[in-house]
Structure formats: structure tokens, C-alpha cells
Amino acid sequence: MNVPRIAFAFALAATLIAARGAPAAEPLKIGVIAEFSGPFAGYGKQMHNGIKAFIRQHGDTVAGRKVEIILKDTTGPAPEVAKRLAQDLVTQDKVDFLAGFGLTPNALAVAPLATQAKTPMIVMNAASSVITTRSPYVARLSMTLPQVTAPMAQWAAKNGIRRVYSIVSDYAPGIDAETTFAKTFQAQGGEVVGSVRVPLKNPDFAPFVQRAKDARPQAVFIFVPAGEQGIAFVKAFTERGLREAGIKLIGSGDVVDDDVLEAMGDATLGVITTHHYSAAHDSPENAAFKKAYAEANGTGSRPNFMAVAGYDGMAAIYAVAKKLDGKIDADQAMAALKGLALQSPRGPIHIDPETRDIVQTVYVRKVERTKAGLYNVEFDRFADVKDPGK
Ligand code: PHB
């Protein structure tokens, strides 16, 4: 009795599906948790600019899925906010990947959630060594402080620097920088004549810089998180006349961040740092990256190391999506990330399969005035540096 009618209904449904084609795949959702406002707003901006540069070059669809970027603002170092944003992203938006994370405390707050929700977490900056140990679902596409500061100590010791005063921000990345620099430098016969840890949002470096000057070191070693802290530190270093007293400035590249280098001006000339990316890096990949960055974001800013990590984080996500044919399973995604090798704008990089941390070249650079402005000009390198912090 009813059979013909049911058969008709099936036939109709089949025709409708055929007419529309296969049902469209769900978008590939990437939740980017970063600092988009407040004193660290440059971090979110640069990571997002790097993400946009990648999409500009490689398109907004991968493995048949349209890529959807969802931005969430932590407003600064705010672990509780970061955690709540991650919760929303996994429960409501049902993101395929968590990404971003400029500041270590925000990344540390979210790592346990990546485990609970079984969601891969792609770190695009946060750089204290410990982060990747906090969840098997974390992979880091940026750097670690021990990775970039051990080469600084080696270079300084080999280049006649014997006495150093150390100044770092008082939180995990700063402590990583201080301890790795001291250990490596002392092992090479160097002496740390004094050290101080300053608050993460330190308004005035003058008293700390004066103490450093009074200790009469050959160089001050500095780590502060990129941006405003670097500007404030360099200002005090200049005003207190350390350069005139013959004291060199060395450190991790964060203090002479490309995003603010031009604004810091000639006071940065001659500063020697070690880092994994300089906008002045000379390679075809970096030239193409800078072109895409300018096309996607205008010419108002130059890419810094957070932009390149945003770009490489996207490259990693696209590589995983292709390998899994668009079906993102967290364990399979992590397996695909382990050992992943990319030709980054910064040089060759790969993900250590044991630690899920990045292995990369660390460059020694000096701030110089080039025809295009102030740049960190690379002049030496340490190849295939792993995170020595684990
Ligand atoms: C961090 O919080 O891990 C961090 C932030 C800014 C940097 C480096 C590390 O420049």
C-alpha cells in the first residue's frame, strides 16, 4: 500500500542529493587564543598576520575543507581567561585545532584542556621549555628560551666576553633564559657577576640597569618578552650610559623584536642577540613570505618571529589535514606532527618526534642600519638546535 509512496520519497531524496552534489564538508575550524588587546596586543596581531600570509599563499581550503579562523582575545597574561576561551572553543565551536598562545602562562593554562578535550594545540610563540610536557596534544612551532639562549652563551664565551650581568623577566621563560645562559656560559669559563629578575610588566628598568652598571660587567644579558618591555629596557640602558661605559648588550632576540625595532631607533645599533627569525633573513622562502605578509596585511608592519610561527603553525595544520584527508583525529594528527619537516621562511625546521618541540637553526645577529632601515642582520648560525631544557 504505502510502498510506492516510500519508494518515491527515496527516489526524490536521491535526486535532490545528486542535484546538489555531495553534502559540503564541515569547515576546518582553528581557534586562535592570543593577546589581541592590552600591552601584549602585538602578539595576537603578528600571529594573525602570519596566519593570513599563509592563507594568502596557500588558499583558504585544505583537503576539501574550508578553513575557518576563530580569534579569541586573552587581553594579556590571563590564564583563567585563556582557559575559559579554550573551553568555549572546544565545547561550542568544536574546533579541530587550538592555536596561538603568545604568553607562557596562557599556554600552560590551556594544555590540560587540550588533553581532556583531545584537541591538538599548536603553540605559535609561548616559549618556556616545559609547555610541551604538559600535554601529549601540544606541538610547538615557535622556539624555546633555552634553545635560543644557549647559543648566545656559547657565542659570547668564544668572543672574548668573560663577565656578564643577567637581567630577565620574572616568569617561566625568563627563568629558563637566566638558568640556561648561566649554565652554558659558566661551562665555557664565563662568570655571571650578578643577576636580577624583574616583574613581567615592569614599568621602569632604570634601577636594575644601574645595578648592572655598578657591577662593571663586559656585557648585560637580557631577556624580556618582545614589545613594550624591550622598548623600556633599551631606553634605560641608553639613559644610564652603559654603552658609554663600554658595556655591551647581548640577549635573546626578543629585546630587539622586528615589530618595534624601528621605533627603538639607533639605541639598538650593535646589539647582538641569538634568535630563530629575523625579517632580514636572506632566502627565497622568506622573500615569498614577506611578499604574502604585505599583500595580506598592508605595509604598515614588518613580520616578526611570532608572525613566522603563525605562518608555520598553519603550514603544520595544512600538512596534517592533507595527510589525514581532512578527517582530523587528535591522535593521528599528533602522529603526523611528530617528525614533520618544513622549509620555513626562517630556514629548515622539524618537530622532534620525542618531545613535539621544534628543532631549528639559531642565528647570531647584530642590529645594523641597512638601506631598508634597522634590521637584525644574521652573521653566524647554530644548525639543528633542539630544546636543551629537557
Ligand atoms: C612567553 O611568555 O613564553 C614569551 C613571550 C614573549 C616572548 C618570548 C616568550 O618574546
Side-chain angles (χ1 to χ4, degrees):
M1 311 166 293
N2 274 343
V3 171
R5 211 186 268 174
I6 290 170
F8 175 75
F10 270 120
L12 184 66
T15 318
L16 283 177
I17 288 173
R20 280 213 225 115
E26 286 283 305
L28 183 85
K29 292 188 183 174
I30 304 169
V32 178
I33 300 174
E35 302 73 13
F36 288 100
S37 62
F40 299 97
Y43 296 13
K45 180 197 76 177
Q46 282 284 1
M47 281 182 241
H48 189 213
N49 285 356
I51 290 169
K52 284 188 279 176
F54 184 85
I55 292 174
R56 172 97 194 171
Q57 256 186 345
H58 298 272
D60 65 357
T61 302
V62 63
R65 294 180 69 180
K66 178 115 166 114
V67 174
E68 191 182 317
I69 306 289
I70 305 169
L71 304 180
K72 296 281 181 187
D73 180 12
T74 66
T75 71
E80 286 309 314
V81 178
K83 204 163 137 187
R84 179 173 51 72
L85 296 174
Q87 251 148 6
D88 291 351
L89 285 168
V90 296
T91 56
Q92 285 162 31
D93 299 293
K94 306 206 176 346
V95 294
D96 296 281
F97 291 89
L98 291 166
F101 310 103
L103 290 161
T104 284
N106 296 336
L108 288 176
V110 173
L113 246 130
T115 308
Q116 269 168 35
K118 281 191 86 170
T119 306
M121 171 170 163
I122 306 294
V123 175
M124 294 173 166
N125 185 61
S128 66
S129 179
V130 75
I131 293 169
T132 43
T133 69
R134 292 293 173 85
S135 167
Y137 294 100
V138 173
R140 179 154 38 197
L141 273 294
S142 49
M143 58 139 174
T144 81
L145 260 311
Q147 179 181 52
V148 296
T149 48
M152 187 72 259
Q154 284 169 19
W155 186 90
K158 279 209 187 74
N159 287 274
I161 297 176
R162 286 279 164 276
R163 291 165 48 81
V164 168
Y165 192 97
S166 162
I167 303 179
V168 301
S169 299
D170 191 9
Y171 77 129
I175 293 158
D176 273 1
E178 180 194 273
T179 50
T180 306
F181 182 87
K183 196 170 120 202
T184 318
F185 193 53
Q186 284 155 0
Q188 312 268 324
E191 187 191 348
V192 178
V193 296
S195 57
V196 65
R197 297 175 181 175
V198 305
L200 173 56
K201 288 189 274 184
N202 183 43
D204 182 12
F205 282 89
F208 304 112
V209 165
Q210 185 61 45
R211 258 195 258 165
K213 187 181 181 187
D214 295 343
R216 307 175 71 80
Q218 287 168 285
V220 167
F221 168 80
I222 179 77
F223 165 77
V224 283
E228 286 186 3
Q229 286 294 291
I231 296 174
F233 172 78
V234 168
K235 184 167 172 279
F237 191 88
T238 309
E239 285 174 2
R240 293 275 152 168
L242 275 76
R243 191 191 289 258
E244 288 72 25
I247 301 169
K248 292 191 174 66
L249 182 54
I250 62 174
S252 74
D254 307 82
V255 70
V256 280
D257 170 23
D258 269 305
D259 199 33
V260 292
L261 187 58
E262 204 65 71
M264 290 197 276
D266 285 350
T268 56
L269 282 171
V271 174
I272 291 179
T273 57
T274 43
H275 227 208
H276 52 301
Y277 179 69
S278 162
H281 182 66
D282 187 13
S283 73
E285 290 81 11
N286 193 38
F289 167 58
K290 285 198 285 187
K291 183 167 173 284
Y293 183 97
E295 285 167 1
N297 306 301
T299 50
S301 71
R302 78 165 74 144
N304 75 354
F305 61 98
M306 300 195 194
V308 88
Y311 178 93
D312 289 335
M314 289 299 287
I317 290 172
Y318 274 44
V320 168
K322 279 185 197 155
K323 189 153 188 191
L324 303 186
D325 206 15
K327 296 182 231 9
I328 310 300
D329 164 86
D331 292 312
Q332 286 175 24
M334 296 318 295
L337 285 164
K338 291 178 187 174
L340 177 72
L342 298 168
Q343 195 59 41
S344 159
R346 60 184 118 168
I349 61 173
H350 72 268
I351 300 298
D352 184 336
E354 304 286 312
T355 61
R356 289 161 278 100
D357 230 328
I358 191 163
V359 181
Q360 61 191 332
T361 307
V362 175
Y363 303 88
V364 191
R365 319 94 49 83
K366 184 180 197 172
V367 178
E368 290 177 13
R369 184 164 286 290
T370 73
K371 271 181 276 164
L374 286 174
Y375 275 93
N376 291 292
V377 177
E378 295 166 352
F379 65 91
D380 204 351
R381 63 181 63 191
F382 292 73
D384 290 328
V385 184
K386 283 188 177 194
D387 174 32
K390 339 185 168 63

